[in-house]
Amino acid sequence: SENCFVSQSRYLLQEDDAEAIAKRLPGLDNVVLCDDYGTQNLSYALAKNSNVIVSLQTSLADEALAFGKKVLILDFPSLSRGLCRRVLPKKFHFLLIKKQKDLLPAIRKILSGNQTILRRYRLLQEELLGDVSCQSLGAVNKALARLLEAHG
């Protein structure tokens, strides 16, 4: 069945935010909210086995996108003050969640196999990595830096 992994930053996502997000995900099986930074590579293992990843803007979110994972980035005013929307190129905006009420519909759109949204993820993945070997040191960071520089 579908898995949804919510990466929970202990620095930015407060307990009230996590509870509100969990309440917004009724009817989804296998939802994991994780803020365990003590277990080495736990968040990467969860991301690898998830169909959808919900996260703040983090390196894990960037890397997961490059590897073809479906990532939704929380860009609530209370968390990021809309910084992601101002900094990231428009091609990323479809995966930004501005309001808690928009989270569940966005997850369901992905899990339902919506071809338009899946195509946007594929195009973004190709732009982030293209033919670059995933073994190349810093390949994801360099590709993301190029996109951000082009954005202005």
Side-chain angles (χ1 to χ4, degrees):
S1 72
E2 289 103 6
N3 293 320
C4 180
F5 162 48
V6 180
S7 176
Q8 183 179 335
S9 169
R10 66 178 134 194
Y11 302 110
L12 296 175
L13 198 59
Q14 303 302 313
E15 192 172 323
D16 291 348
D17 295 320
E19 289 174 15
I21 290 167
K23 287 178 186 174
R24 293 275 179 198
L25 302 176
L28 288 181
D29 293 330
N30 298 322
V31 176
V32 177
L33 280 89
C34 178
D35 67 351
D36 180 351
Y37 292 91
T39 305
Q40 188 170 356
N41 296 323
L42 176 62
S43 57
Y44 285 92
L46 288 167
K48 177 184 175 191
N49 295 309
S50 296
N51 295 38
V52 180
I53 299 164
V54 178
S55 178
L56 298 169
Q57 181 63 45
T58 63
S59 59
L60 177 123
D62 297 338
E63 293 162 6
L65 277 170
F67 284 97
K69 289 301 199 172
K70 310 312 177 262
V71 178
L72 295 169
I73 296 175
L74 301 177
D75 197 27
F76 303 161
S78 64
L79 297 175
S80 66
R81 297 188 173 105
L83 181 65
C84 296
R85 190 162 300 278
R86 292 192 307 269
V87 172
L88 292 174
K90 287 190 191 279
K91 61 186 78 181
F92 281 83
H93 289 194
F94 76 95
L95 55 83
L96 299 178
I97 304 297
K98 293 188 299 186
K99 299 176 184 168
Q100 289 178 0
K101 70 178 184 64
D102 298 333
L103 182 57
L104 184 59
I107 291 171
R108 290 211 167 137
K109 190 181 275 191
I110 292 168
L111 294 178
S112 72
N114 180 291
Q115 290 304 304
T116 301
I117 199 84
L118 296 180
R119 184 172 40 257
R120 291 177 91 177
Y121 275 106
R122 273 193 306 277
L123 291 171
L124 191 55
Q125 177 191 14
E126 289 170 10
E127 189 156 354
L128 284 170
L129 266 192
D131 293 332
V132 174
S133 167
C134 294
Q135 304 301 319
S136 299
L137 185 62
V140 175
N141 293 340
K142 289 174 187 171
L144 187 59
R146 280 193 307 275
L147 277 175
L148 291 173
E149 285 173 15
H151 177 60

